[in-house]
Amino acid sequence: GKGSCGSAAALGKNVIVEDIDTHPYWAPYRDIAHRADIRACWSVPFFDEGGKVLGTVGCYYAAPRAPRPTDLALIEEFARLAALAVTKVRANERLRQAAAVFSATRDGIVITDLAPRILAVNRAWSEITGYSEAEALGQNPRILQSGRHDRAFYKAMWASIRQAGHWQGEVWNRRKNGEFFVEWLSISTVYDEHGRPTNYVG
């Protein structure tokens, strides 16, 4: 680590430098600190949910100073809020990237709840089936059933999905205009952080 913040990030713990002139972490940077009129620096790291350091919150002072318990509590609260903000920004970026892939892929994708009712479809799915997103939302995917598979076929398919979490195979379906088509269908279960099923993706 370098200085207070670099050391806090490297060590994953608070680094409290009450007097920069006497602390070894600041030995290479004392001239810079003096020119900036910095004499004390308190640094607190913040982490993601997996415990990885995301950054640090640093407080700088023009005179040597030791933190009071209330000072540390306030800085640690700032660090907690910083962690939430950074995590949210990263999550939003991942969602944006996932949405871009969802929209751009040439494979038809449909997302349902456990009912199953259609919650989302991508453009490729609409082009393949002939159903617009507005027409598909809230519908059961059985709107595509061709009638070429018997009840036992679908019973076995759903048994695999519920027991193994996925199923794949060749399926005959029917477009909105009544035209039959064959496709290789893969259905997977989506689970939450507690391992409970929340959605299906096909």
Side-chain angles (χ1 to χ4, degrees):
K2 297 181 178 180
S4 299
C5 290
S7 297
L11 298 172
K13 63 181 182 180
N14 296 356
V15 172
I16 306 300
V17 175
E18 300 175 5
D19 188 345
I20 284 174
D21 283 346
T22 61
H23 201 285
Y25 287 170
W26 279 87
Y29 315 107
R30 284 189 187 122
D31 288 343
I32 297 173
H34 288 167
R35 289 197 296 271
D37 198 25
I38 297 172
R39 293 296 184 273
C41 179
W42 313 335
S43 298
V44 174
F46 54 91
F47 309 86
D48 64 14
E49 293 179 351
K52 181 180 179 180
V53 175
L54 295 173
T56 63
V57 173
C59 295
Y60 298 87
Y61 299 93
R65 181 174 176 181
R68 298 166 298 180
T70 53
D71 294 327
L72 283 178
L74 184 60
I75 298 171
E76 288 171 354
E77 178 63 12
F78 283 147
R80 186 187 70 83
L81 294 174
L84 290 174
V86 172
T87 300
K88 182 176 181 180
V89 168
R90 290 187 173 183
N92 287 342
E93 177 61 17
R94 287 194 295 270
L95 286 174
R96 187 195 65 77
Q97 292 171 349
V101 172
F102 179 76
S103 298
T105 183
R106 297 175 64 87
D107 295 322
I109 300 174
V110 58
I111 301 172
T112 76
D113 59 17
L114 300 181
R117 290 181 296 267
I118 295 174
L119 302 178
V121 298
N122 68 347
R123 183 183 305 170
W125 186 92
S126 292
E127 291 173 351
I128 292 167
T129 66
Y131 288 95
S132 68
E133 181 181 33
E135 292 171 323
L137 294 183
Q139 297 283 352
N140 189 297
R142 71 167 62 99
I143 60 174
L144 299 178
Q145 286 185 6
S146 64
R148 294 193 176 190
H149 301 289
D150 59 18
R151 185 183 300 271
F153 174 87
Y154 291 106
K155 184 177 180 180
M157 181 183 78
W158 281 105
S160 175
I161 293 169
R162 293 186 176 113
Q163 293 170 15
H166 65 274
W167 178 89
Q168 60 180 354
E170 189 176 270
V171 177
W172 278 95
N173 276 329
R174 182 169 53 192
R175 296 186 172 93
K176 180 183 176 181
N177 65 7
E179 179 183 343
F180 293 106
F181 68 101
V182 65
E183 65 175 337
W184 185 262
L185 178 61
S186 177
I187 302 174
S188 297
T189 306
V190 178
Y191 300 91
D192 65 16
E193 64 272 20
H194 303 294
R196 295 176 299 213
T198 59
N199 300 91
Y200 299 119
V201 177

